[in-house]
Amino acid sequence: MDFFEVVSTQRAIRRLTPDPIPDEAIDRILEAAICAPSGGNRQSWNFVVIRDADLRAKIGAHYREAYFKELFNLPYYRGALAASPDSPLAKVVASSRHLAEHLAEAPVLILACLDTRGMSPGITQGASIYPAVQNILLAARALGIGSTLTTIHRFRDRQIKELLGIPPEVETAALIPLGYPLGKFGRAPRRPPEEVVFFDRWGAPRPAC
């Protein structure tokens, strides 16, 4: 696929079929992940590929519990409870709810992990893992495989680490379900560049020619 078609049509796909994904597709996706940059080229990442049905069921149970007990305590999602069913927020929540109820049915889960020892605390740690996560999402799209980046599992981080034997010093930065989409790829609704891009100073529009 053309690179810009991949970028513009990759979107959160939360409704997935249980159909198996070939090993060669998973290998290509992971190869794309490790091509990403990382701070100081440390490559302090690991990717746990979860295909075992029992493990997926247990992770799905933790995820579902976290979703229904924790998510709607967050102000952004509390607003969804009063939103019109046709509103963009309500549609996102309906999609995320479907994922929470069916996560274990995704044939592959990838847990993107980062060993943060020796790193400065704060948001800059993400520079060493989220480019790899984005490569996973883009590579999956190029292969016709649906995916989404979710962090709801972190409400049950301790339990999931214990389940998978992940050391306490390793952060589980993203959980990425993979599967063939029930819906369609396509450009997601986005604010136009002129609303979010500034030139030279905050709030300044593009200079007139």
Side-chain angles (χ1 to χ4, degrees):
M1 292 182 65
D2 173 76
F3 172 77
F4 288 99
E5 183 181 358
V6 170
V7 170
S8 63
T9 61
Q10 188 278 321
R11 62 186 300 167
I13 302 288
R14 301 183 183 92
R15 293 179 172 90
L16 306 167
T17 77
D19 300 336
I21 298 174
D23 286 348
E24 54 268 28
I26 298 172
D27 291 343
R28 292 187 73 185
I29 290 169
L30 294 170
E31 182 65 31
I34 64 172
C35 288
S38 59
N41 196 31
R42 293 178 183 177
Q43 303 173 60
S44 300
W45 49 43
N46 290 98
F47 305 92
V48 184
V49 180
I50 303 140
R51 296 189 292 184
D52 179 82
D54 183 58
L55 287 175
R56 286 187 285 116
K58 290 176 179 176
I59 293 171
H62 286 307
Y63 188 97
R64 185 167 55 253
E65 180 189 54
Y67 181 90
F68 288 106
K69 288 189 175 181
E70 312 290 350
L71 193 70
F72 293 98
N73 291 324
L74 303 176
Y76 178 80
Y77 289 97
R78 277 204 303 268
L81 299 176
S84 164
D86 294 329
S87 69
L89 177 56
K91 290 179 180 179
V92 168
V93 170
S95 175
S96 68
R97 179 178 182 136
H98 179 91
L99 179 64
E101 293 172 340
H102 298 277
L103 181 74
E105 298 169 24
V108 178
L109 304 175
I110 297 179
L111 197 60
C113 302
L114 181 68
D115 187 337
T116 60
R117 288 176 295 182
M119 292 185 181
S120 300
I123 194 171
T124 56
Q125 291 181 352
S128 291
I129 188 63
Y130 289 118
V133 171
Q134 178 70 349
N135 277 11
I136 289 172
L137 303 179
L138 293 173
R141 168 64 190 102
L143 296 172
I145 295 168
S147 66
T148 190
L149 189 170
T150 181
T151 56
I152 293 170
H153 71 283
R154 287 186 57 84
F155 287 112
R156 298 295 181 269
D157 192 56
R158 177 182 58 81
Q159 295 91 328
I160 289 176
K161 283 183 177 179
E162 289 177 358
L163 177 65
L164 301 177
I166 297 172
E169 65 272 14
V170 172
E171 295 289 347
T172 61
L175 180 65
I176 307 154
L178 297 177
Y180 292 103
L182 283 169
K184 296 180 180 180
F185 292 107
R187 188 177 181 91
R190 292 291 184 264
R191 295 166 62 190
E194 55 269 23
E195 288 187 9
V196 298
V197 178
F198 307 137
F199 288 84
D200 297 324
R201 284 181 171 77
W202 184 268
R206 182 192 297 271
C209 296

